[in-house]
């Protein structure tokens, strides 16, 4: 039976489930769990952030040893036939990992002290590690099988946006800031940078030539559609403020579609490309209301709940996680969210939230569900 989602249960072990929430046999023989701050009350080695390979045949996940404090990157086939530790990352705090588009390597982001460290791991060859960048902040995205775009923050000198590959290192114009993850749309890379006494949304082509798309006043979040033709963006007054002015942009043509002006904690695309899913935090409460914002102007409330700590962290850095750790199934029919109905007490639950507005259903206990990429 084809797995539908990878889930972390309340004890932070990894399971594969079908559409009815039933656990499928065949996953790796070892439990997979998460980092200390999110594993209160769990036992065993905590693991975090399971992510599917592009062909949906493998899952990579962080594992942190309770006895030694070391973090490992662990990979298992979904049938459990093969499993391996790709790397041991000492006592680094695991943050994010993402497969390359071809599934040949993994980009791994960890924190060590005040710095973030980005490395590449060779998926077929355990132990083969290549340092890429260090800084704070540090965000990245895959451009193709060989290249990454990396936003590197520095304390001693201005931040920079680099294209990093096996044989090239290109620094793009401007001093990046006022955004997080660079994104690709068509053949261009979109990012926000200070340039010529202004802050602009820029588009860089493969040669490094840059054109300005529009001025930016505030902190901009950018999320590409799955076909990379369009980008959804919105702007917050400052870090921690809600995003407003959600707009869809087609960089190749300059066409813009305003979607919503209400405050949003996070937003990301439906795999069908016909809507953006928004998360709105309620006033004076950590509770989340999920919305389907159609490109046709429709607005459909979906579900309300209190998110788990894992999902809250996902929402905080949604630009980095929505591509690598999707919480919408590939069909675009359902959103999968973990949380609580009331206070953060009792067992966390996973809900299947239909995007057509049908009632949400509890599928099983759990803290996080991650779907294969569309």
């Amino acid at each position: 039976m084809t797995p539908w989602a990878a889930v972390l249960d309340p004890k932070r072990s990894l399971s594969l489930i079908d559409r009815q929430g039933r656990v499928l046999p065949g996953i790796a023989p070892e439990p997979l769990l998460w980092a200390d701050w999110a594993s209160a009350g769990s036992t065993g080695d905590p693991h975090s952030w399971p992510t599917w390979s592009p062909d949906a045949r493998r899952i990579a996940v962080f594992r942190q040893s309770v006895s030694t404090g070391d973090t490992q990157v662990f990979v298992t086939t979904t049938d459990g036939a093969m499993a391996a530790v790709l790397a041991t990352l000492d006592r680094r705090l695991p943050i994010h990992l993402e497969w390359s588009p071809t599934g040949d390597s993994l980009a791994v982001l960890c924190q060590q002290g005040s710095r973030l460290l980005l490395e590449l791991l060779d998926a077929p060859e355990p132990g083969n590690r290549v340092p890429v960048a260090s800084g704070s902040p540090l965000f990245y995205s895959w451009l193709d099988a060989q290249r990454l775009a990396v936003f590197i923050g520095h304390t001693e000198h201005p931040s920079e946006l680099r294209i990093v590959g096996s044989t090239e290192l290109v620094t793009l114009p401007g001093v990046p800031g006022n955004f997080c993850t660079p994104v690709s749309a068509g053949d261009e890379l979109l990012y926000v940078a200070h340039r010529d006494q202004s802050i602009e949304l820029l588009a860089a082509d493969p040669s490094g030539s840059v054109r300005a798309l529009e001025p930016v006043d505030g902190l901009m979040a950018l999320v590409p559609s799955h076909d990379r033709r369009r980008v959804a963006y919105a702007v917050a007054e400052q870090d921690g403020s809600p995003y407003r002015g959600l707009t869809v942009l087609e960089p190749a043509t300059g066409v813009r579609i305003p979607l919503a002006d209400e405050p949003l904690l996070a937003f990301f695309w439906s795999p069908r490309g016909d809507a953006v899913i928004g998360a709105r935090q309620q006033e004076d409460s950590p509770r989340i209301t999920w919305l389907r914002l159609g490109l046709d102007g429709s607005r459909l409330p979906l579900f309300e709940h209190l998110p788990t700590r894992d999902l809250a962290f996902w929402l905080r850095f949604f630009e980095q996680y929505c591509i690598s750790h999707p919480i919408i199934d590939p069909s675009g029919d359902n959103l999968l969210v973990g949380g609580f109905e009331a206070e953060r007490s009792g067992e966390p639950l996973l809900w299947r939230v239909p995007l057509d507005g049908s009632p949400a259903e509890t599928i099983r206990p759990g803290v996080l569900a991650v779907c294969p990429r569309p």
Side-chain angles (χ1 to χ4, degrees):
M1 185 177 294
T2 302
W4 186 55
V7 303
L8 293 178
D9 72 16
K11 293 185 178 180
R12 319 205 68 81
S13 62
L14 179 71
S15 299
L16 298 183
I17 62 170
D18 63 16
R19 293 183 66 89
Q20 284 70 47
R22 296 173 299 202
V23 174
L24 301 177
I27 194 63
E30 300 183 62
L32 305 175
L33 305 160
W34 167 224
D36 290 342
W37 69 269
S39 61
S42 70
T43 59
D45 290 341
H47 295 61
S48 62
W49 304 120
T51 182
W52 296 76
S53 63
D55 62 5
R57 295 180 179 178
R58 292 167 293 167
I59 292 176
V61 70
F62 287 118
R63 176 172 59 194
Q64 190 172 36
S65 169
V66 170
S67 60
T68 67
D70 290 341
T71 295
Q72 296 176 328
V73 177
F74 186 80
V75 174
T76 176
T77 55
T78 56
D79 61 5
M82 296 181 64
V85 174
L86 283 192
T88 298
L89 307 173
D90 303 320
R91 293 177 178 267
R92 299 176 185 177
L93 178 67
I95 301 294
H96 183 264
L97 72 170
E98 182 176 0
W99 294 89
S100 67
T102 55
D104 295 323
S105 58
L106 278 160
V108 178
L109 184 66
C110 291
Q111 183 174 339
Q112 187 172 46
S114 60
R115 292 188 309 153
L116 295 172
L117 306 175
L118 179 63
E119 293 184 321
L120 291 183
L121 304 183
D122 190 333
E125 287 292 333
N128 189 1
R129 296 164 58 179
V130 178
V132 175
S134 66
S136 182
L138 198 154
F139 298 93
Y140 72 94
S141 62
W142 284 98
L143 296 180
D144 52 41
Q146 302 294 327
R147 300 179 304 150
L148 299 106
V150 188
F151 171 17
I152 308 170
H154 299 290
T155 55
E156 303 84 7
H157 51 86
S159 300
E160 55 189 334
L161 187 67
R162 292 181 182 176
I163 306 298
V164 179
S166 57
T167 59
E168 64 179 319
L169 173 61
V170 177
T171 301
L172 294 178
V175 177
N178 294 57
F179 86 116
C180 292
T181 307
V183 303
S184 57
D187 293 328
E188 295 182 303
L189 177 70
L190 272 58
Y191 66 105
V192 176
H194 300 255
R195 194 180 66 147
D196 300 330
Q197 308 302 314
S198 62
I199 304 174
E200 298 173 307
L201 174 60
L202 303 174
D205 66 19
S207 71
S209 176
V210 171
R211 64 189 179 99
L213 298 180
E214 62 181 74
V216 175
D217 182 15
L219 177 66
M220 177 175 279
L222 300 159
V223 177
S225 59
H226 294 280
D227 62 7
R228 301 285 173 169
R229 290 181 51 244
R230 294 170 293 186
V231 172
Y233 70 83
V235 177
E237 288 186 5
Q238 58 188 7
D239 189 20
S241 298
Y243 291 93
R244 289 184 176 272
L246 179 63
T247 301
V248 169
L249 167 67
E250 189 172 280
T253 63
V255 171
R256 288 167 172 79
I257 304 173
L259 285 192
D261 194 41
E262 61 187 283
L264 296 173
L265 178 65
F267 54 90
F268 47 95
W269 285 86
S270 162
R272 296 177 180 175
D274 60 348
V276 174
I277 308 305
R280 178 171 181 170
Q281 185 170 326
Q282 298 178 9
E283 286 190 41
D284 303 320
S285 170
R287 294 182 68 81
I288 298 296
T289 299
W290 295 94
L291 307 166
R292 182 189 183 279
L293 303 166
L295 269 62
D296 59 2
S298 59
R299 179 188 184 278
L300 181 63
L302 299 172
F303 186 57
E304 176 189 312
H305 72 124
L306 184 67
T308 60
R309 291 184 177 91
D310 296 70
L311 183 56
F313 191 85
W314 190 104
L315 290 167
R316 175 68 178 83
F317 298 102
F318 67 96
E319 307 105 301
Q320 188 78 77
Y321 284 94
C322 66
I323 301 297
S324 56
H325 297 71
I327 58 174
I328 298 180
D329 64 11
S331 69
D333 292 332
N334 301 280
L335 178 70
L336 279 76
V337 297
F340 306 84
E341 293 187 273
E343 300 300 318
R344 281 197 176 98
S345 59
E347 196 169 49
L349 300 172
L350 294 172
W351 281 277
R352 177 174 52 237
V353 182
L355 296 185
D356 63 3
S358 300
E361 298 177 286
T362 303
I363 54 175
R364 65 178 300 101
V367 298
L368 183 71
V370 178
C371 300
R373 295 173 67 160

